[in-house]
Amino acid sequence: ASGKIFDSQIDQVGAASAYLRKRENWLKGTSPVYDVGVYHPSYLAPLQSVPDAPALSGISIGWPDVLAQRNVPYAFLYPDSEVASFPLVVLDSSFPLSEGLVEKLTQYVQQGGNVLAELIPSQLDSPAGKRFLSEILGIEILGPTDYEAVYVGNLDSSIGTGMTEMPTLVVGPSYLVKPTTAQSI
C-alpha cells in the first residue's frame, strides 16, 4: 500500500533476470511451434461498439478448451493468417466461410496440410461451402439423415482414439456424403 518494494522482491526479480541472461542466446530469435491453428472468430465477438456482431459459438469456445486440456499447442488464426506451418487447421462453424478462405485452404491441403471442419447447413449451402466440400474434402452431400445425433466411432474408430472413454457423439444435423476425390479407408 505504501509503494515500497521489499528487498526480497528485488532479489527475486534479480534472480529471475540472471537466469534469463544466462540463457539469452537460447531465447533470442526463437518462434513458437504449434500443432494446430484454430480459425477463431474472436474479432467478431460482440463489442459495445459493434452491437450486431455475432456471438462466439460453443464450438469456438470449445476447441481451445479441448486442445489446452490435452496439452496440444495451438494458435488462433484470423482471415489473413498464414497457415503453412500448421500440421492441422481447425475451422469451426462460427468462422465465416469465404471464397478467399477456401482458396487459401485448398492450397494448404494440396501442400500436405490437414483440415478439420465443423460447418452448419447455411455454410454447406453457400457457394464457398460447396467448393470447400468438393475441393478440400473431396465429397458431395447426398442429403440429410433423419438423425440429430450420430456416433462417429462406427464411421472411423480412430476418430475418438485418445479423446474419451465414452463413444464420440456428434449432435446436430448430419448428412449422407459420397466421396468424389476423397478416398474412404
Side-chain angles (χ1 to χ4, degrees):
S2 69
K4 178 174 173 45
I5 299 175
F6 297 100
D7 290 341
S8 62
Q9 293 171 321
I10 292 172
D11 292 343
Q12 288 174 342
V13 170
S17 297
Y19 177 87
L20 292 173
R21 269 194 213 97
K22 281 184 184 177
R23 291 151 182 87
E24 184 175 8
N25 290 333
W26 298 347
L27 301 172
K28 281 184 178 177
T30 61
S31 55
V33 176
Y34 300 108
D35 291 336
V36 180
V38 179
Y39 272 106
H40 190 266
S42 63
Y43 67 94
L44 294 174
L47 302 171
Q48 292 175 351
S49 61
V50 188
D52 296 332
L56 293 177
S57 75
I59 295 170
S60 300
I61 297 164
W63 278 113
D65 286 345
V66 167
L67 295 168
Q69 288 173 14
R70 287 163 178 78
N71 296 315
V72 176
Y74 68 93
F76 291 123
L77 302 174
Y78 299 92
D80 59 348
S81 295
E82 179 53 51
V83 296
S85 65
F86 297 94
L88 172 67
V89 168
V90 173
L91 175 63
D92 78 56
S93 62
S94 296
F95 201 85
L97 191 57
S98 67
E99 292 291 333
L101 181 60
V102 170
E103 190 65 39
K104 179 185 280 192
L105 292 177
T106 299
Q107 292 173 6
Y108 166 75
V109 169
Q110 288 172 346
Q111 295 170 356
N114 300 286
V115 176
L116 186 154
E118 290 187 298
L119 304 174
I120 56 177
S122 62
Q123 289 172 308
L124 296 173
D125 291 337
S126 72
K130 291 180 191 300
R131 276 191 64 209
F132 182 86
L133 293 173
S134 172
E135 295 174 23
I136 296 173
L137 299 182
I139 60 173
E140 175 186 338
I141 292 181
L142 300 177
T145 67
D146 295 329
Y147 308 106
E148 281 298 313
V150 176
Y151 287 99
V152 294
N154 291 339
L155 302 173
D156 182 350
S157 61
S158 68
I159 291 172
T161 302
M163 294 295 282
T164 175
E165 292 185 18
M166 298 298 295
T168 304
L169 176 69
V170 174
V171 178
S174 59
Y175 297 86
L176 295 169
V177 297
K178 173 179 101 176
T180 54
T181 58
Q183 297 177 8
S184 59
I185 49 175

